[in-house]
Amino acid sequence: MPVDLSVACVVGVDYGTLSGRAVVVRVADGAELGSAVHDYSHAVLTEALPDGTPLGHDWALQVPSDYVDVLKYAVPAALYAAGVDPAHVIGVGTDFTACTMVPTLADGTPLSELPEWSSRPHAYVKLWKHHAAQPQADRINELAAKRGEPWLARYGGLISSEWEFAKGLQLLEEDPAAYAATARWVEAADWIVWQLTGSYVRNACTAGYKGIRQEGQYPSAEFLKELNPAFENFVADKVEQPIGQLGNSAGTLTAQAAAWTGLPEGIAVAVGNVDAHVTSAAAKALDPGQMVAIMGTSTCHVMNGDEVREVPGMCGVVDGGIVAGLWGYEAGQSGVGDIFGHYVANLGAEWTHERLTSLAAQQKPGQHGLIALDWHNGNRSVLVDAELSGLLVGETLATKPADIYRALIEATAFGTRKIVETFGEAGVPVREFIAAGGLLKNELLMQIYADVLNMPLSLIGSDQGPALGSAIHAAAAAGAYPDVRAAAAAMGRVERSVYRPDPASAAIYDELYAEYSALHDYFGRGANRVMRKLRAIQRKVSA
Amino acid sequence: MPVDLSVACVVGVDYGTLSGRAVVVRVADGAELGSAVHDYSHAVLTEALPDGTPLGHDWALQVPSDYVDVLKYAVPAALYAAGVDPAHVIGVGTDFTACTMVPTLADGTPLSELPEWSSRPHAYVKLWKHHAAQPQADRINELAAKRGEPWLARYGGLISSEWEFAKGLQLLEEDPAAYAATARWVEAADWIVWQLTGSYVRNACTAGYKGIRQEGQYPSAEFLKELNPAFENFVADKVEQPIGQLGNSAGTLTAQAAAWTGLPEGIAVAVGNVDAHVTSAAAKALDPGQMVAIMGTSTCHVMNGDEVREVPGMCGVVDGGIVAGLWGYEAGQSGVGDIFGHYVANLGAEWTHERLTSLAAQQKPGQHGLIALDWHNGNRSVLVDAELSGLLVGETLATKPADIYRALIEATAFGTRKIVETFGEAGVPVREFIAAGGLLKNELLMQIYADVLNMPLSLIGSDQGPALGSAIHAAAAAGAYPDVRAAAAAMGRVERSVYRPDPASAAIYDELYAEYSALHDYFGRGANRVMRKLRAIQRKVSA
């Protein structure tokens, strides 16, 4: 069926941590015609299950029916808001938080939906920020290093407790019966596509970044057996599944999903994807060297490369992890907006982001005499050390709150520069920096990033980048364009070089960055282990 | 005239930065019978002279008549408040901020009181915190080091911009006419005694600590000539004067001073003194090894020793500088209460010292996971570097204001321990630690100091320690006791070992102090000069 581009639309659905957003997008030019958001009724379970069963420290669960509710409520509402005839919708695409894991029966039914499992915490979805599998992650890393597993370097030398294997091993070791009942260990990104199409296709992105799939292989049965004899067949029994490339069709919309969404039965459904990674398409940033930074409470950096390189401390490099045919690199800063938010929350009611930003904007670079390290939530790249913590140097009796606020913004910019330089030194040069996400609205912050990076900053042209990116993938999956790159070229939106570096500011920031780097290495690379020691003392006296 | 101890009283007058306090004290037992405070009408001149003549950056001047007003108003009011017959007062003693310098004619008339000089900033009193003579101080230090002047080590290797020679050289170089008109360059501590007695006696304390008088000699004419040829005769012409030992009589009360104060003409007036140094007598802490810490916005440490030793980074060691016959040592922390005050001032109105202290008191040592360096106002001892600044390490997204507040208190305690240990290592062991000053009221802070120092803390038994100390010196000067030690034994007040270290807390603080020391040396001794660099950048961009 030829596509009538003049009226064709696609729907992108972005699954976030607390809500799902549906956007209706015109295929011809990517115009966003309408959108709607549905909040998850159960939000994030951190203290107890819905029936009151208590949860341990660092747990974070979700309820799968909340995801289906987004299909039932947000998609029809977005269609209504757009004023679009549902018959003109030719495809749907989704993106999800990751790594978020659903334990299911062989038919995809979540374990938590069975009455006999509804009081068992391990039957529920483990959200990306479930951090209770750290002991398992530590063992995975130790053993992988000891055995010299070749995949370890593809993840900057460290497998996260957030990922599939650590969470799966925790499931096995803490609730063997739930593990046995889990026929499939499914990324939520794929589970939602399974609900839309009736068939289970595993996407190349999460399989690589979160599932440790490299060169078509997962970690070996020997490795898994050495971790725990009962874990030996984890991959073969619960993880392995045919791989779908990003932007391909995973299948077509079932009658049931059509009834939920109000969309036509049989339209294309794109292979599942991840929020950060689809944003590259939305920002037209799929060429090697175009780094997209999705800047919010934390920042995720994604960029394509022609070749595979081992970048120290990156989150991962995956073949086709962002777009088929290129190597997708990912890095991250674990605290960005969260650091500013925490600072403001501690100040008290008369201080707001707006007031601090306005005061900080009146300063010249270097005027406050401060420098900070942005490790309040640990360091994800390039040091990959959750035990690191924040640092502020230079405070005097004349220091004002806006000084510290600006220093914290600058610290996150220095952290970004450290990532950009590390990529460059590893042979994966960053040629363009494109900002996306909520922090893009802060003009002071954007100018500081341009000055610190000494690069022009391009901005994504949408404030719902992931949903637009999913819609672009839907258009490709529906065949409206030959591939994701072509779809992104027509439907993505970017404003080039919106913020340009000021040479005088860049020169001062070069001096300050040299100091940041010295502190970064001194506290981050083992010369002074005070941050680790302080956490150890804290744990000892709190025990 | 034999003293009738049953009714005899003395008056102590403590000249602070913004006001003067008079206290009437019973000679027999040191009971404080009444007191009164008079605020200086002109406070501190930092922006302009009274006639509007503008002042430069870092200037801080005072008006001498404000000091006389304290005699006129506070002394009679204190007598009235005490309900004491003035006829029973047998002596008066004073202490002053230092180094505070008055340029006078040969008869003691301040230059600023002459109409022809009243619009000249250099004709006024240069208060201790006048910091505009830093360039002169830098040259004095450079030249003294180059020439190997033996007195330099008696000041921890550094002469302060606050002291007599730096301020005198600034006077010469910036207003040679005022310098020429200055017959005498007088410590305010001695000027006020001159007003009381009609004769000029120079006290051994400020002559040593602030006037670089060692072994009876001031810096040589050759040295002064090399600084500036016109400065060659500075000592001979303007500084040299017979020395009075502390607690001796400088003379007797003149008729005019008796009229001002309501005190009997002819009673003894003690040799001038300094606020911190008289406090040792008030706290009965005149034996070698008894360190008195006067803890307020900053902290001053004074202690006697049997011998002269060169303690790295001390403020000074002076023969008879605290009590005749012993070597008086002085050290200091340039920011203590000021650091807490600055932290609270930057928080919103809902935060107070009381609330933060109450929350911080609920924690165990080490629980907050933080460590700070207490250099927000530079470091006076043992590093003697005004370019240093504050540092906070360990902040996370879970850190609360009370955590930081407690860490700042601990940082000042670690700073005190560093001074105590430095004295011990130099052969001047600290055997008892006696706290005085406003911070003594904070029980949490006192317990933290006891735990960090791992020593019992004694407390002075008066909240007007300097005035009581001056009264004790008055009693000695009047002959009521054979010397200051005997007067202090009868009239001073101390509570021994009020706070005792908790062994478990002390053990944790030993671990944290090791981390503090590593940071102290790394940032303070040149390995990482980021603090200096940040100030240099700050000055460059603000210029």
Side-chain angles (χ1 to χ4, degrees):
Chain A
M1 183 179 68
V3 175
D4 177 359
L5 277 184
S6 68
V7 294
C9 289
V10 280
V11 173
V13 187
D14 167 41
Y15 284 92
T17 299
L18 292 168
S19 64
R21 168 187 300 265
V23 182
V24 180
V25 176
R26 190 158 59 205
V27 167
D29 59 1
E32 296 165 19
L33 303 176
S35 69
V37 174
H38 179 77
D39 290 339
Y40 305 152
S41 331
H42 301 91
V44 181
L45 309 176
T46 56
E47 306 291 330
L49 295 183
D51 71 357
T53 306
L55 300 178
H57 186 58
D58 276 343
W59 278 61
L61 305 182
Q62 289 198 318
V63 175
S65 60
D66 287 347
Y67 307 146
V68 175
D69 283 349
V70 172
L71 300 178
K72 290 180 183 171
Y73 299 107
V75 174
L79 285 165
Y80 187 83
V84 159
D85 180 350
H88 293 155
V89 177
I90 62 167
V92 56
T94 58
D95 64 86
F96 226 102
T97 67
C99 167
T100 296
M101 297 305 298
V102 194
T104 74
L105 303 182
D107 65 357
T109 304
L111 228 55
S112 59
E113 293 187 357
L114 304 171
E116 64 270 33
W117 291 105
S118 65
S119 292
R120 296 277 273 265
H122 276 289
Y124 283 76
V125 177
K126 288 191 171 69
L127 183 62
W128 66 274
K129 65 177 174 179
H130 173 94
H131 286 137
Q134 189 61 53
Q136 285 79 15
D138 291 343
R139 284 162 49 208
I140 290 170
N141 286 309
E142 258 172 61
L143 184 62
K146 195 185 87 178
R147 291 171 49 105
E149 295 290 341
W151 41 262
L152 194 59
R154 295 279 171 92
Y155 301 94
L158 220 73
I159 301 302
S160 168
S161 72
E162 294 183 2
W163 297 351
E164 296 187 9
F165 282 71
K167 281 173 169 157
L169 186 55
Q170 188 199 10
L171 170 61
L172 166 67
E173 296 183 339
E174 296 184 3
D175 192 343
Y179 180 82
T182 298
R184 308 270 74 198
W185 184 234
V186 190
E187 281 277 354
D190 298 325
W191 185 82
I192 199 66
V193 172
W194 195 347
Q195 304 314 300
L196 289 164
T197 63
S199 63
Y200 178 18
V201 173
R202 193 152 160 59
N203 77 81
C205 174
T206 54
Y209 289 110
K210 316 300 179 186
I212 322 185
R213 182 176 176 274
Q214 291 287 348
E215 321 285 348
Q217 302 293 319
Y218 294 94
S220 68
E222 293 72 37
F223 174 80
L224 300 176
K225 187 179 176 185
E226 199 170 334
L227 275 175
N228 185 323
F231 205 50
E232 178 176 6
N233 297 317
F234 175 64
V235 167
D237 288 356
K238 302 177 199 293
V239 166
E240 206 150 41
Q241 187 74 13
I243 298 293
Q245 294 302 317
L246 305 179
N248 284 1
S249 171
T252 56
L253 201 67
T254 62
Q256 185 182 45
W260 289 338
T261 56
L263 294 172
E265 187 181 342
I267 61 171
V269 178
V271 166
N273 213 323
V274 173
D275 42 12
H277 300 69
V278 291
T279 303
S280 291
K284 292 193 192 188
L286 296 171
D287 284 341
Q290 293 185 300
M291 177 174 275
V292 177
I294 300 94
M295 301 167 61
T297 54
S298 62
T299 290
C300 184
H301 309 83
V302 286
M303 180 171 80
N304 282 311
D306 290 310
E307 297 172 283
V308 60
R309 300 272 187 173
E310 289 172 3
V311 184
M314 68 181 162
C315 301
V317 55
V318 170
D319 189 7
I322 299 171
V323 72
L326 290 171
W327 288 88
Y329 290 85
E330 184 188 341
Q333 289 176 267
S334 39
V336 180
D338 268 351
I339 295 178
F340 319 144
H342 168 251
Y343 182 68
V344 175
N346 269 0
L347 281 179
E350 64 251 54
W351 289 102
T352 61
H353 286 288
E354 291 68 26
R355 185 174 164 208
L356 289 163
T357 299
S358 155
L359 289 167
Q362 295 166 21
Q363 302 188 1
K364 297 177 199 165
Q367 196 177 328
H368 52 50
L370 300 170
I371 203 159
L373 290 176
D374 52 321
W375 301 343
H376 299 60
N377 201 22
N379 177 294
R380 190 175 296 160
S381 304
V382 300
L383 299 168
V384 200
D385 188 344
E387 295 281 284
L388 296 176
S389 52
L391 180 131
L392 181 69
V393 60
E395 188 162 3
T396 72
L397 299 178
T399 302
K400 298 289 182 205
D403 300 340
I404 297 175
Y405 189 76
R406 185 174 174 122
L408 292 173
I409 291 176
E410 290 165 348
T412 66
F414 294 141
T416 298
R417 178 164 167 178
K418 185 61 67 185
I419 290 170
V420 167
E421 291 192 351
T422 303
F423 270 82
E425 288 158 11
V428 192
V430 176
R431 298 198 175 87
E432 184 184 0
F433 193 89
I434 303 108
L439 292 182
L440 179 152
K441 293 192 208 93
N442 185 320
E443 293 180 14
L444 170 66
L445 183 143
M446 287 293 129
Q447 187 59 51
I448 287 174
Y449 271 63
D451 291 340
V452 166
L453 293 173
N454 204 3
M455 288 175 78
L457 246 59
S458 301
L459 305 186
I460 192 170
S462 168
D463 57 5
Q464 37 199 4
L468 173 60
S470 287
I472 288 170
H473 283 76
Y481 294 97
D483 56 21
V484 173
R485 285 160 162 280
M491 300 170 68
R493 274 197 296 288
V494 65
E495 302 171 69
R496 304 258 175 233
S497 303
V498 177
Y499 293 91
R500 292 176 176 280
D502 170 69
S505 298
I508 294 291
Y509 281 133
D510 276 345
E511 293 187 58
L512 290 169
Y513 179 70
E515 301 298 329
Y516 174 92
S517 292
L519 294 168
H520 175 280
D521 290 352
Y522 178 69
F523 288 104
R525 299 198 192 272
N528 186 325
R529 296 170 64 80
V530 59
M531 292 171 179
R532 193 169 280 272
K533 175 82 176 174
L534 285 170
R535 290 200 193 244
I537 291 175
Q538 191 173 39
R539 281 190 284 259
K540 182 170 71 176
V541 303
S542 303
Chain B
M1 179 179 74
V3 174
D4 176 359
L5 278 185
S6 67
V7 295
C9 289
V10 281
V11 173
V13 187
D14 167 41
Y15 283 92
T17 299
L18 292 168
S19 64
R21 169 187 299 267
V23 182
V24 179
V25 177
R26 190 158 59 205
V27 169
D29 59 1
E32 295 164 19
L33 303 175
S35 69
V37 174
H38 179 78
D39 290 339
Y40 305 153
S41 329
H42 300 92
V44 181
L45 308 177
T46 56
E47 306 291 329
L49 296 183
D51 71 357
T53 305
L55 301 177
H57 186 60
D58 275 344
W59 278 62
L61 305 181
Q62 290 197 318
V63 175
S65 61
D66 287 346
Y67 308 147
V68 175
D69 283 349
V70 172
L71 301 177
K72 291 180 183 169
Y73 299 106
V75 174
L79 286 165
Y80 187 84
V84 158
D85 180 349
H88 294 154
V89 175
I90 61 168
V92 57
T94 56
D95 64 88
F96 225 102
T97 66
C99 166
T100 295
M101 298 305 299
V102 194
T104 75
L105 303 182
D107 66 356
T109 305
L111 229 55
S112 58
E113 293 187 357
L114 305 171
E116 63 270 33
W117 292 104
S118 66
S119 291
R120 296 276 274 263
H122 276 289
Y124 284 75
V125 177
K126 289 191 170 68
L127 183 61
W128 65 274
K129 65 177 174 179
H130 174 92
H131 286 138
Q134 189 61 53
Q136 285 79 14
D138 291 344
R139 283 161 51 207
I140 290 171
N141 286 309
E142 257 171 62
L143 184 62
K146 195 186 87 177
R147 289 171 51 103
E149 296 290 342
W151 41 261
L152 194 58
R154 294 281 170 91
Y155 302 94
L158 220 73
I159 302 301
S160 168
S161 73
E162 294 183 2
W163 298 351
E164 295 186 10
F165 282 71
K167 281 175 169 156
L169 186 56
Q170 189 199 8
L171 170 60
L172 165 67
E173 297 183 340
E174 297 184 4
D175 193 343
Y179 180 81
T182 298
R184 308 269 73 199
W185 184 233
V186 190
E187 281 278 354
D190 298 325
W191 185 83
I192 199 68
V193 171
W194 194 350
Q195 304 314 300
L196 289 165
T197 63
S199 62
Y200 177 18
V201 174
R202 191 153 161 59
N203 77 82
C205 174
T206 54
Y209 288 110
K210 316 300 180 188
I212 322 186
R213 182 177 177 272
Q214 291 286 347
E215 320 285 347
Q217 302 294 319
Y218 294 94
S220 68
E222 293 72 35
F223 173 80
L224 299 176
K225 188 180 177 186
E226 198 169 335
L227 275 175
N228 185 322
F231 205 48
E232 178 177 6
N233 298 317
F234 175 63
V235 167
D237 288 355
K238 303 178 198 292
V239 165
E240 207 151 39
Q241 187 73 14
I243 298 293
Q245 294 303 317
L246 305 179
N248 284 3
S249 171
T252 56
L253 201 67
T254 63
Q256 185 181 48
W260 288 338
T261 55
L263 295 172
E265 186 181 345
I267 61 171
V269 177
V271 165
N273 213 323
V274 174
D275 43 11
H277 300 70
V278 291
T279 304
S280 291
K284 292 193 190 186
L286 295 171
D287 286 341
Q290 293 185 300
M291 176 173 275
V292 177
I294 300 94
M295 301 166 63
T297 53
S298 61
T299 291
C300 184
H301 309 82
V302 286
M303 180 171 79
N304 282 311
D306 290 311
E307 298 172 282
V308 61
R309 302 273 186 172
E310 289 172 3
V311 183
M314 67 180 162
C315 301
V317 56
V318 170
D319 189 7
I322 299 172
V323 72
L326 290 171
W327 287 88
Y329 290 85
E330 184 187 341
Q333 289 176 268
S334 40
V336 181
D338 268 351
I339 296 178
F340 319 143
H342 169 252
Y343 182 68
V344 175
N346 269 357
L347 293 175
E350 66 259 45
W351 289 104
T352 61
H353 285 289
E354 291 69 27
R355 185 172 164 211
L356 289 163
T357 299
S358 154
L359 289 168
Q362 295 164 21
Q363 301 187 3
K364 298 179 199 164
Q367 196 177 328
H368 52 50
L370 300 171
I371 203 158
L373 290 177
D374 51 321
W375 300 343
H376 299 60
N377 201 22
N379 177 294
R380 190 174 296 160
S381 304
V382 303
L383 299 167
V384 200
D385 188 343
E387 295 280 284
L388 296 177
S389 52
L391 179 132
L392 180 69
V393 59
E395 188 162 3
T396 71
L397 299 179
T399 302
K400 299 288 182 204
D403 301 339
I404 297 175
Y405 189 77
R406 184 173 175 123
L408 293 173
I409 292 177
E410 290 164 348
T412 67
F414 293 142
T416 298
R417 177 165 168 179
K418 186 61 67 184
I419 290 170
V420 167
E421 291 191 351
T422 303
F423 270 82
E425 287 157 11
V428 192
V430 177
R431 297 200 176 87
E432 184 183 1
F433 193 90
I434 303 109
L439 292 182
L440 179 151
K441 293 192 206 93
N442 186 320
E443 295 181 12
L444 170 67
L445 183 143
M446 286 293 130
Q447 186 61 51
I448 288 173
Y449 271 61
D451 291 340
V452 166
L453 294 173
N454 203 4
M455 288 176 76
L457 246 61
S458 302
L459 305 187
I460 192 170
S462 168
D463 57 5
Q464 38 199 5
L468 174 59
S470 286
I472 289 169
H473 283 75
Y481 295 97
D483 56 21
V484 173
R485 285 160 161 280
M491 299 171 67
R493 275 196 297 289
V494 64
E495 303 171 69
R496 304 259 175 233
S497 303
V498 177
Y499 293 91
R500 293 176 175 280
D502 170 70
S505 297
I508 294 291
Y509 281 132
D510 276 346
E511 292 187 59
L512 290 169
Y513 179 69
E515 301 299 329
Y516 174 92
S517 292
L519 294 168
H520 175 279
D521 290 352
Y522 178 69
F523 287 103
R525 299 198 192 274
N528 186 326
R529 295 169 66 80
V530 59
M531 293 172 179
R532 193 170 280 273
K533 176 80 177 173
L534 285 170
R535 289 197 193 247
I537 292 175
Q538 192 173 39
R539 281 189 283 260
K540 182 170 69 175
V541 303
S542 302

